[in-house]
Amino acid sequence: MCERFEDFHRTVLLLGSLALYADQPGADDRFIDAVGPSLAASLPEPPPGLFPPGHDPMAGPEYPSGW
C-alpha cells in the first residue's frame, strides 16, 4: 500500500476514533476542540481511485444550515 493511502486511511481512522470518544460520557471537550480541527486539517488528499471517476465532492444538495 502506498504511503499516501496509508496516511489518508490512518487520519480517517483517527477522526473516527475522536468522534467516538466525543460521544462518551466524560469526554474532554477541550481536548476534542484542540485536536479535531488540527486532525481534520492534516487530512491528505484522497488517494486516486478512492472515489468513482467524475465524482465532484462539491456537487450535492444544499443544506439548510448552509454547510
Side-chain angles (χ1 to χ4, degrees):
M1 189 179 311
C2 75
E3 183 178 327
R4 187 169 162 202
F5 183 76
E6 289 173 1
D7 289 346
F8 181 82
H9 181 78
R10 184 180 318 110
T11 306
V12 168
L13 288 175
L14 287 169
L15 283 166
S17 295
L18 184 64
L20 290 173
Y21 170 71
D23 285 340
Q24 299 298 312
D28 184 346
D29 291 332
R30 287 178 47 192
F31 173 78
I32 296 163
D33 291 343
V35 172
S38 298
L39 191 56
S42 74
L43 188 65
E45 288 290 319
L50 186 65
F51 296 106
H55 173 76
D56 181 3
M58 300 309 288
E62 293 283 330
Y63 292 98
S65 66
W67 284 56

